[in-house]
Amino acid sequence: MNFLRSPLNLGMIASYYNISHTTIERFSSSVTSKTKLKGLLEILASASEFEQLPIRPGEEESIKRLINHLPFSFENPKYTDPHVKANALLQAHLSRRMVVGNLAVDQREVLLSATRLLQAMVDVVSSNGWLSLALLTMEVSQMVTQGLWHRNSMLLQLPHLTEELVKKIV
């Protein structure tokens, strides 16, 4: 009798990208064919890999101020939740909002994990055959790499160009 089984798709994705089984399960159960950009960011920030993101004493106020200036609102945010912090740091990166001190260190960690997590999310979405959502997820991956929202001018990727200069050029 052969007890060896072939690995399941989600397990192979989790193993390939070195992410936790709880994260891959969350991606699989949370993403639907109707998920939009805000939902993708929330699902990404809910990854188990961000549970160890530290919330330092007094940092809640900085996170609260940061959240108040981001494009996507939070429903009853808990400022001591590392997943809320990860989402806020991701949105701040895409909005090119400067964070300093420990928040900048944490943002770098979030961005390093986000790239790998988004690649896994693309595989999960693709496995379900959702082409438009797979393309959106790839776009989010590009946005994280470029540090821009999809609606921003691509010229902002060039060094020393600001939104004011881009408006004058275009």
Side-chain angles (χ1 to χ4, degrees):
M1 211 175 211
N2 187 359
F3 291 104
L4 295 177
R5 294 183 175 200
S6 59
L8 297 177
N9 190 43
L10 292 179
M12 290 190 303
I13 295 170
S15 175
Y16 184 81
Y17 293 106
N18 193 27
I19 63 175
S20 76
H21 68 281
T22 54
T23 295
I24 203 72
E25 180 58 37
R26 184 168 293 131
F27 286 177
S28 179
S29 64
S30 301
V31 175
T32 70
S33 62
K34 307 239 185 280
T35 303
K36 303 287 184 228
L37 178 59
K38 180 181 179 182
L40 283 179
L41 291 175
E42 288 171 353
I43 294 166
L44 174 63
S46 74
S48 302
E49 282 72 5
F50 297 130
E51 287 175 2
Q52 301 306 314
L53 199 59
I55 305 289
R56 296 169 191 87
E59 205 170 57
E60 296 92 0
E61 189 59 36
S62 297
I63 295 169
K64 183 178 182 178
R65 279 194 311 272
L66 184 61
I67 286 174
N68 289 333
H69 295 95
L70 296 175
F72 290 127
S73 61
F74 291 73
E75 194 171 310
N76 301 320
K78 185 177 176 196
Y79 302 112
T80 57
D81 183 349
H83 302 289
V84 169
K85 181 178 179 179
N87 191 331
L89 292 173
L90 277 168
Q91 287 191 55
H93 172 69
L94 299 175
S95 301
R96 296 200 169 183
R97 294 198 56 83
M98 184 68 72
V99 293
V100 295
N102 288 328
L103 284 179
V105 172
D106 294 341
Q107 188 180 49
R108 278 191 294 277
E109 291 301 315
V110 167
L111 294 174
L112 285 172
S113 294
T115 303
R116 185 171 41 89
L117 292 168
L118 281 164
Q119 290 171 339
M121 193 181 290
V122 167
D123 284 0
V124 170
V125 169
S126 298
S127 297
N128 287 308
W130 299 325
L131 177 61
S132 60
L133 186 58
L135 293 172
L136 176 61
T137 309
M138 287 180 222
E139 189 173 19
V140 172
S141 183
Q142 277 188 307
M143 289 166 33
V144 168
T145 300
Q146 296 164 345
L148 293 170
W149 290 101
H150 63 289
R151 64 182 177 271
N152 294 121
S153 170
M154 291 298 136
L155 292 173
L156 289 173
Q157 295 177 63
L158 299 173
H160 312 295
L161 283 184
T162 62
E163 288 188 31
E164 295 78 31
L165 286 173
V166 168
K167 286 177 186 175
K168 289 179 184 177
I169 294 170
V170 178

